[in-house]
């Protein structure tokens, strides 16, 4: 199942949708496409350069979060890609002519969709005093008992090489070129009852301190500081991280 592109969705409940969209437009240096969907629930964050890979969605129930779209070539029907995913342990939640919605073995929601031609990774943006940055990574936050299974699932689904991430609680998938974001897998310290895999977005940036201040000016909060990353929360309460990585190369 060759993956040609991927899209990260920010899913917001209706009461914080406008607040969340406004923030992510600003910190990614994006413009907003016209709304689409039966209830105008979808829009795309349009970069100033390259092809879009970030989208927003207003959800009807739940707290929202992030989900992932995997874009596959038009060469075969979506059912073939879905069959590959289910053989690895995914469960189909919905299907139609345009997409298949699935859950990973650990419960993370993702979609298989047809490739829309995306091929050019956007350049980092410069937010005045915040320096260069790009939202270039989706981190899957995995309960400890599900970590090995999720690593095997995502490596098998994408066909990308699984690599150790330094600290033993991290692994990542070696993304091919061109691909706008990397998939990082993190084993959480503990699990809660009925826990499932969730996700958050990571920015690569040249200066975490300056960028954190710039994001705070846009409405974010600093939750915690670590040697190589800063944990943030957007105005809607969505957590994300600013990490010590090259925003041009990841």
């Amino acid at each position: 199942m060759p993956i040609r592109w991927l899209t990260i969705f920010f899913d917001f409940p209706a009461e914080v949708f406008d607040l969340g969209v406004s923030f992510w437009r600003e910190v990614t240096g994006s413009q907003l496409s016209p709304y689409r969907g039966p209830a105008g629930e979808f829009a795309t964050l349009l970069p100033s350069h390259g092809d879009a890979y970030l989208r927003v969605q207003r959800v009807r129930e739940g707290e929202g979060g992030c989900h992932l779209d995997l874009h596959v070539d038009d060469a075969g029907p979506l059912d073939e890609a879905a069959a590959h995913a289910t053989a690895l342990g995914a469960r189909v939640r919905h299907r139609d002519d345009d997409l298949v919605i699935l859950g990973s073995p650990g419960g993370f929601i993702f979609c298989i969709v047809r490739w829309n031609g995306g091929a050019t990774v956007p350049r980092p943006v410069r937010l005045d005093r915040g320096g260069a940055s790009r939202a270039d990574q989706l981190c899957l936050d995995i309960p400890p008992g599900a970590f090995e299974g999720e690593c095997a699932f995502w490596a098998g689904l994408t066909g990308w090489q699984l690599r150790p991430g330094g600290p033993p609680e991290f692994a990542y998938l070696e993304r091919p070129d061109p691909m706008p974001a990397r998939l990082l897998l993190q084993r959480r310290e503990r699990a809660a009852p009925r826990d499932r895999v969730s996700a958050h977005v990571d920015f690569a940036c040249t200066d975490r301190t300056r960028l954190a201040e710039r994001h705070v000016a846009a409405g974010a909060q600093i939750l915690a500081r670590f040697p190589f990353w800063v944990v943030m929360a957007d105005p809607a309460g969505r957590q994300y991280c600013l990490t010590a990585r090259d925003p041009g190369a990841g």
Side-chain angles (χ1 to χ4, degrees):
M1 188 185 76
I3 296 169
R4 303 296 298 271
W5 195 250
L6 61 77
T7 302
I8 298 169
F9 268 84
F10 300 101
D11 301 321
F12 295 103
E15 61 269 21
V16 294
F17 181 68
D18 291 340
L19 189 65
V21 171
S22 177
F23 174 81
W24 284 95
R25 278 187 62 188
E26 181 173 351
V27 298
T28 60
S30 304
Q31 298 298 314
L32 191 67
S33 75
Y35 287 102
R36 58 190 182 276
E41 68 270 33
F42 299 106
T44 301
L45 299 179
L46 301 171
S48 59
H49 162 269
D51 292 314
Y53 67 103
L54 302 173
R55 295 181 181 175
V56 295
Q57 177 180 6
R58 184 177 62 249
V59 296
R60 291 178 292 181
E61 56 185 31
E63 298 180 354
C66 292
H67 79 267
L68 179 68
D69 278 8
L70 300 176
H71 298 237
V72 298
D73 214 331
D74 280 337
L78 293 181
D79 279 348
E80 289 184 8
H84 175 59
T86 56
L88 293 168
R91 296 181 61 184
V92 174
R93 294 171 175 255
H94 170 81
R95 71 174 74 209
D96 59 35
D97 292 339
D98 298 318
L99 83 166
V100 183
I101 303 174
L102 304 103
S104 75
F108 181 70
I109 301 301
F110 67 100
C111 300
I112 295 175
V113 301
R114 299 190 189 282
W115 181 47
N116 59 8
T120 302
V121 177
R123 292 190 292 261
V125 299
R126 287 189 171 272
L127 302 177
D128 44 72
R129 65 182 183 276
S133 65
R134 194 168 77 82
D136 74 331
Q137 185 166 262
L138 184 68
C139 179
L140 302 184
D141 301 309
I142 304 169
F147 184 71
E148 297 299 332
E150 286 292 299
C151 286
F153 172 78
W154 289 101
L157 181 66
T158 60
W160 303 345
Q161 185 69 41
L162 184 69
R163 304 288 190 189
E169 67 270 24
F170 289 101
Y172 68 92
L173 296 174
E174 190 75 47
R175 60 180 168 181
D177 290 328
M179 196 60 61
R182 185 174 78 162
L183 296 182
L184 179 70
L185 301 101
Q186 179 179 9
R187 184 179 62 242
R188 299 204 302 260
E189 291 184 0
R190 60 184 63 88
R194 299 181 182 177
D195 206 0
R196 65 179 181 85
V197 179
S198 58
H200 69 268
V201 166
D202 292 338
F203 283 81
C205 57
T206 54
D207 189 321
R208 299 186 306 286
T209 299
R210 289 171 56 202
L211 188 63
E213 293 173 353
R214 177 63 179 82
H215 281 212
V216 167
Q221 297 182 38
I222 299 172
L223 300 183
R225 295 181 187 270
F226 296 92
F228 298 106
W229 64 85
V230 180
V231 182
M232 309 288 294
D234 73 10
R238 185 85 63 255
Q239 291 191 21
Y240 65 98
C241 293
L242 311 178
T243 68
R245 293 178 297 111
D246 181 348

